[in-house]
Amino acid sequence: MRTLTGFSTEYTMHKMHKRFERYVLFGEVAKQLSFSKAAENLGISRSYLSSQIGQLEAELKTSLLIRSTRSVRLTAAGEKILAKMNGINSAIVELEKELDHNKNEVEGVLRITAPTIFSHRYLVDICCEFQHLHPNISFDLDIGYQRVDLAKSHFDLAIRATNQPPENMVAKKLMPYQHLCCASPDYLAKNGTPTHPDQLAHHNCMSDPNLRKWQFSSQGKTLHVETDGDMLISDNLLLLDAAIKGKGLIKLPCYLVEEALEDGRLVQVLSDYYIASSNIYLIYPPQLRTSTKLTAFIDFVHNWFHQSKSH
């Protein structure tokens, strides 16, 4: 059983840890004299950085920075803290030089949460190739569409399809995508090819039961079409398979249907109409220093997509 003294010690240590973190964050802002540049260098969001500096000023009951719309300057108190932090940083650098640790070792478990479609299309291949380079890495993958709160979970990284990544997390854009409307050549030969979204009323449109309203845009106008079909499936891979077999029309992310389009198993329809796009982001909690394994994996994923798109 923990004693009251034990709880008090834990609480005090937590406060000291957070205070030191805020001093380090302040040191980077003071060095850059820019919240944006400091946030980028630290790998955290600007809003998180600003809130932590504000908290430090509140705890110290003094202003450390003079902010304007175009510049950041240090107060006298800010100058004193910067000088002390420079000394601490130098001492830490010297200490790390004395410790003969191999900081380039990529090992351990990476815990990732990711959407189902992206995982089927890319993630397993990416993880296998990464393990080929780093045999001491293992993966714990949570696949689905549940939005996990990274601040309260054990995950190192989330892969999400969104246009509004959370402001309290670091978000790195990985790739854009949009939905495409497709069907098999056999289906179109038997049922005709729609040239306007309104004509979908005469076609067997297969979709998730909760996504039966399809949106299209053309020349600044947005069209919402209520679709109907004899096969409603809550799994996009099964929808893809059904479309390839000639069952009907589908509207799915381009990266899921691109192989079937390239080899002719599917044909895109209504290509003159734009379907809203989104983005895939790599999202992870702000940290003072990102782990070696996570940094290596993020760099690998970015390079993997860059190389795959250049071929």
Side-chain angles (χ1 to χ4, degrees), residues 191-203:
N191 300 277
T193 301
T195 57
H196 190 281
D198 288 343
Q199 295 174 5
L200 293 177
H202 307 297
H203 285 269

Side-chain angles (χ1 to χ4, degrees), residues 23 26-27 30 53 56-66 73-86:
Y23 277 127
F26 170 78
I53 300 303
L56 179 62
E57 290 179 318
E59 291 170 349
L60 297 176
K61 298 180 180 179
T62 187
S63 296
L64 304 177
L65 300 168
I66 301 171
R73 293 185 292 119
L74 298 179
T75 64
E79 294 278 5
K80 289 181 180 179
I81 292 177
L82 176 60
K84 291 291 185 182
M85 289 306 301
N86 285 338

